[in-house]
Amino acid sequence: DTVTEGKRLATDRAKGNCLACHVMGDGPLAGNVGPPLVVMKARFPQREALFSQIWDATLRNPDSRMPPFGAHGVLNKEEIERIIDYLYTL
């Protein structure tokens, strides 16, 4: 299912690698550079805003430390959509 695939991508050190910077669900060895990924649907009620944040966070904040996963081709649009499916469960 899309949530399971999203979790796999989000925790994959070669793809989403969200755990490098964020506490997220039951993810092991979480980082603390970025904010915890909790209540994501409430924080990002507009799915497009979360997509944009993952695609290229520097569009909203030029000083963001978050890599532009989509813009740099690390994740494609479908992969980002699956990650959002997972993040919306947190």
Side-chain angles (χ1 to χ4, degrees):
D1 78 84
T2 63
V3 171
T4 301
E5 176 63 9
K7 182 177 182 178
R8 185 192 69 73
L9 288 164
T11 57
D12 185 331
R13 298 285 180 187
K15 287 302 246 177
N17 199 18
C18 303
L19 290 168
C21 296
H22 301 277
V23 171
M24 180 183 67
D26 60 355
L29 303 172
N32 62 1
V33 174
L37 301 181
V38 295
V39 294
M40 295 303 290
K41 203 166 193 175
R43 288 175 53 204
F44 288 91
Q46 303 298 322
R47 189 177 176 100
E48 302 79 30
L50 183 52
F51 184 95
S52 179
Q53 181 72 10
I54 297 169
W55 184 265
D56 186 351
T58 65
L59 296 175
R60 187 168 152 239
N61 174 6
D63 296 324
S64 178
R65 293 181 183 178
M66 186 165 167
F69 289 99
H72 283 183
V74 177
L75 295 167
N76 64 38
K77 290 180 179 183
E78 182 179 319
E79 290 169 327
I80 293 172
E81 292 292 349
R82 299 298 71 85
I83 289 172
I84 293 171
D85 289 344
Y86 167 62
L87 292 178
Y88 270 10
T89 70
L90 301 178

